[in-house]
């Protein structure tokens, strides 16, 4: 039920260079060299993913602390009307572009049929545009909690090149 609102929230958090996570963690403190936040597939209920690449000299724990600082600040400050307006304009543009060619329309129809309601193609835009900053704040508090987090760290190892064998 919260999928659309969570989708909007992930856009606020990490879409573009003006996004909250980018401004605070990449541009501001430079803890991460890149950051993304997205909601995975609607078919299995979705997972909210925040992923980033550590900048040299920073630890995972520093990154986690800063990510939670940004999220907690958002919880206390709320989302501005301007941010919501920009987000909805961006969504309308993306939606309009996705309906411009026959292949995209066919894929959208197939996807909605797979979800169990082909009629969603006619109502999805209204669902997104009807969401308010208050709706976003509710899902932010409901889902972005430290007790609901699964963390995966990737520590790459540098492999030594093996000499080529001559035959």
């Amino acid at each position: 039920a919260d999928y659309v609102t969570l989708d909007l929230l992930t856009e606020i958090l990490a879409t573009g260079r003006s996004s909250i996570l980018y401004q605070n963690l990449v541009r501001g403190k430079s803890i991460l060299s890149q950051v993304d936040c997205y909601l995975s597939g609607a078919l299995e209920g979705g997972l909210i993913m925040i992923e980033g690449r550590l900048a040299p000299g920073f630890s995972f724990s520093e990154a986690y602390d800063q990510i939670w600082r940004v999220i907690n600040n958002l919880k206390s400050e709320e989302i501005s009307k301007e941010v919501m307006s920009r987000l909805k304009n961006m969504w309308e543009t993306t939606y309009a572009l996705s309906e411009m060619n026959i292949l995209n329309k066919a894929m959208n129809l197939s996807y909605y049929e797979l979800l169990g309601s082909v009629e969603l193609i006619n109502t999805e835009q209204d669902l997104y545009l009807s969401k308010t900053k208050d709706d976003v704040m509710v899902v932010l508090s409901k889902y972005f909690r430290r007790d609901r987090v699964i963390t995966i760290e990737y520590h790459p190892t540098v492999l030594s090149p093996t000499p080529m064998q001559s035959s």
Side-chain angles (χ1 to χ4, degrees), residues 87-139:
L87 179 63
K88 287 181 179 185
N89 288 338
M90 182 181 72
W91 198 91
E92 274 187 298
T93 301
T94 301
Y95 182 80
L97 291 172
S98 78
E99 292 291 303
M100 288 184 76
N101 72 46
I102 299 297
L103 178 60
N104 283 351
K105 274 190 173 192
M107 288 173 56
N108 287 342
L109 282 167
S110 298
Y111 181 70
Y112 296 125
E113 179 64 27
L114 183 63
L115 290 176
S117 177
V118 75
E119 189 57 34
L120 276 172
I121 199 161
N122 298 318
T123 60
E124 184 182 39
Q125 186 172 13
D126 294 334
L127 275 174
Y128 275 85
L129 297 178
S130 71
K131 298 302 175 186
T132 66
K133 65 180 185 155
D134 292 333
D135 297 328
V136 174
M137 296 305 294
V138 167
V139 298

